[in-house]
Amino acid sequence: MPEQSQIEVAEPDDSKHRAIRSFVIRASRMSPSQKQAYRELWPHWGLELDDGMLDCREVFGRDAPLVFEIGFGMGESLATMAQNEPDKNFVGVEVHPPGVANLLKRIDEREITNLRIYNTDVIEVLKQAIPLQLIERVQIYFPDPWPKKRHHKRRLIQSDFLELLKPRMRSEAILHVATDWQDYAEQTLELLNETKDLTNSVESGFVPRPEYRPVTKFEKRGIGLGHDIYDLVFIHGS
Ligand SMILES: C[S@@+](CC[C@H](N)C(=O)[O-])C[C@H]1O[C@@H](n2cnc3c(N)ncnc32)[C@H](O)[C@@H]1O
């Protein structure tokens, strides 16, 4: 179940810390079939913080490039990507248990073997379980937009978060963000541009949706609202 772990953001006087999360724990009503999937399948495909540092060779039985997806929602697009790229190991992180249960069902139905799941705050996963210089591609698709100005501090993609993430990415690893919220896209572009050790994969700005990224559930919702879609692909360490 999701933990109450939190992103730490410095108070203005820098002497205390205020904990701000990028998500709210919603009342997680799982359908009976989701509950059953969770009970039966989690022991096979779930990863726990208590297991300590992720050992890919032990978990996947092989070394392969690791794709790390943050906030996979219902997991449909992540399941498709894992199927489409069998030569890679995939780890997904999501706090919302019904989404986790849904992805567990997809893994089982489609006999996907190269995907594992954490059901907790990605901040804790990064701190406690992801070794340095491991990740080959980070995917953050349609992160919660927190559209109200006073909520912007809850947005996941902030400099503290990037400082936690970057050392866990390999040299030349990809950071791929997509959003349908123009101001979040622009804010993220500005932040990534000014972040040391990250370089835009194109001369400037956004990229067209790469072939490997399926259209996601929240993307469809955004398109329905008339939003444009913004993909950012940055390279680590170049
Ligand atoms: C707007 S949804 C997008 C879901 C999916 N990627 C899509 O495009 O359909 C964002 C997801 O990120 C998850 N999330 C937000 N903060 C998170 C965190 N700190 N750790 C793990 N998951 C998080 C939320 O629970 C939510 O399911």
Side-chain angles (χ1 to χ4, degrees):
M1 297 295 285
E3 303 208 335
Q4 304 295 314
S5 51
Q6 303 172 331
I7 301 177
E8 300 248 301
V9 174
E11 286 279 358
D13 69 3
D14 219 20
S15 61
K16 284 183 200 141
H17 281 79
R18 182 161 47 118
I20 297 176
R21 290 192 308 225
S22 64
F23 57 92
V24 280
I25 307 267
R26 286 165 276 167
S28 307
R29 257 185 237 114
M30 285 201 261
S31 68
S33 83
Q34 285 174 334
K35 276 189 192 152
Q36 188 186 355
Y38 207 112
R39 208 173 36 244
E40 290 176 4
L41 301 174
W42 178 256
H44 297 287
W45 311 110
L47 297 171
E48 305 276 0
L49 293 179
D50 284 350
D51 298 340
M53 279 289 165
L54 177 67
D55 179 341
C56 285
R57 192 168 275 201
E58 190 188 313
V59 166
F60 294 99
R62 65 174 187 177
D63 281 323
L66 182 76
V67 178
F68 187 74
E69 179 156 326
I70 301 170
F72 58 73
M74 297 305 277
E76 299 289 346
S77 57
L78 179 55
T80 301
M81 293 180 87
Q83 275 188 299
N84 289 348
E85 295 181 85
D87 57 325
K88 297 187 171 68
N89 294 332
F90 284 76
V91 167
V93 186
E94 174 55 61
V95 287
H96 186 48
V100 171
N102 191 67
L103 181 54
L104 287 168
K105 284 207 278 186
R106 294 295 168 268
I107 292 174
D108 187 51
E109 285 158 10
R110 302 187 200 167
E111 301 182 358
I112 297 170
T113 58
N114 59 334
L115 172 56
R116 300 291 184 281
I117 306 174
Y118 283 100
N119 185 187
T120 189
D121 186 347
V122 69
I123 301 301
E124 292 309 313
V125 175
L126 288 168
K127 284 183 181 166
Q128 299 182 39
I130 303 300
L132 300 180
Q133 294 181 27
L134 179 72
I135 305 170
E136 200 76 35
R137 186 168 83 217
V138 179
Q139 309 183 158
I140 309 174
Y141 298 152
F142 304 88
D144 292 313
W146 295 106
K148 291 184 185 150
K149 194 139 202 185
R150 69 174 193 278
H151 288 153
H152 283 188
K153 56 185 178 287
R154 286 182 171 272
R155 288 178 167 176
L156 178 69
I157 305 169
Q158 316 254 3
S159 52
D160 286 5
F161 165 74
L162 293 173
E163 291 313 311
L164 191 60
L165 181 65
K166 274 190 314 178
R168 287 154 179 86
M169 297 170 70
R170 288 203 170 150
S171 170
E172 307 291 313
I174 283 173
L175 171 58
H176 183 183
V177 179
T179 180
D180 60 313
W181 287 82
Q182 187 180 353
D183 77 304
Y184 199 0
E186 284 164 358
Q187 178 189 310
T188 304
L189 177 60
E190 201 179 313
L191 176 63
L192 297 185
N193 275 335
E194 69 195 22
T195 300
K196 194 170 168 286
D197 297 331
L198 288 178
T199 307
N200 202 336
S201 64
V202 291
E203 205 165 311
S204 65
F206 305 102
V207 298
R209 175 168 63 86
E211 283 246 324
Y212 64 78
R213 182 175 78 69
V215 174
T216 78
K217 181 176 169 189
F218 272 79
E219 181 171 12
K220 284 184 199 141
R221 187 178 286 185
I223 292 167
L225 291 170
H227 294 176
D228 291 327
I229 304 299
Y230 305 88
D231 280 78
L232 292 131
V233 175
F234 274 66
I235 317 284
H236 180 234
S238 48

